[in-house]
Amino acid sequence: MASEGLQHERAATERRHFARWNTEKRLSWRIHRGRRIRKSIVTERSLNSLVLETAAEDAPDVGARFYPSDGEIAMKFGFRSAVVRRMEAISDDTRKVYAEIEA
C-alpha cells in the first residue's frame, strides 16, 4: 500500500514528455539574480529537461530558476533558463538536480 502512494507521488512529480539521453557535459550556470558561477555535470538531457550532478553546496532550492553563465554556453546547451523541479541526494556532498527548461 505504501509503495502505491510513493509511485503515485513520483508519477505526479514526473512530467517527462520526451525521452532523456545520457551526456557528460560540464555546465557553468548561475541562480536567478545570483553572481556566483557554479559548475555541474549534465548527466541527462531531453528536449525539455536536464539532470545536473552538482556539489551539495551548489545545489539550488526546488523552484529556483537558473541560467547558463553566458550566451555561448546557452547556445551550446540549447536553453536560456530552467527551473528546478526536484532534487535527490546521491551522497552527503553530491546532489542530482532535475530541471525543466523554460526557454
Side-chain angles (χ1 to χ4, degrees):
M1 201 68 150
S3 66
E4 284 180 17
L6 181 61
Q7 288 174 346
H8 176 68
E9 180 180 314
R10 187 164 181 105
T13 61
E14 197 64 51
R15 293 181 284 253
R16 192 178 317 169
H17 298 285
F18 300 100
R20 289 190 190 130
W21 59 87
N22 292 328
T23 181
E24 291 296 321
K25 295 181 180 178
R26 295 193 181 279
L27 172 66
S28 297
W29 55 280
R30 64 180 178 79
I31 295 291
H32 179 65
R33 297 187 183 182
R35 290 182 168 191
R36 184 167 65 97
I37 301 295
R38 303 165 192 227
K39 297 187 185 293
S40 301
I41 296 173
V42 177
T43 58
E44 295 179 67
R45 175 68 202 269
S46 77
L47 295 177
N48 68 341
S49 67
L50 55 126
V51 181
L52 304 175
E53 190 172 306
T54 191
E57 63 267 12
D58 287 340
D61 294 329
V62 172
R65 177 172 285 112
F66 67 93
Y67 309 97
S69 60
D70 62 42
E72 186 177 321
I73 292 174
M75 286 181 58
K76 177 181 175 183
F77 281 89
F79 78 98
R80 290 182 291 179
S81 67
V83 175
V84 177
R85 294 300 180 199
R86 66 184 173 95
M87 196 168 352
E88 289 179 9
I90 296 174
S91 67
D92 288 342
D93 57 348
T94 307
R95 301 290 181 267
K96 194 175 267 198
V97 178
Y98 296 84
E100 181 179 352
I101 294 171
E102 292 184 308

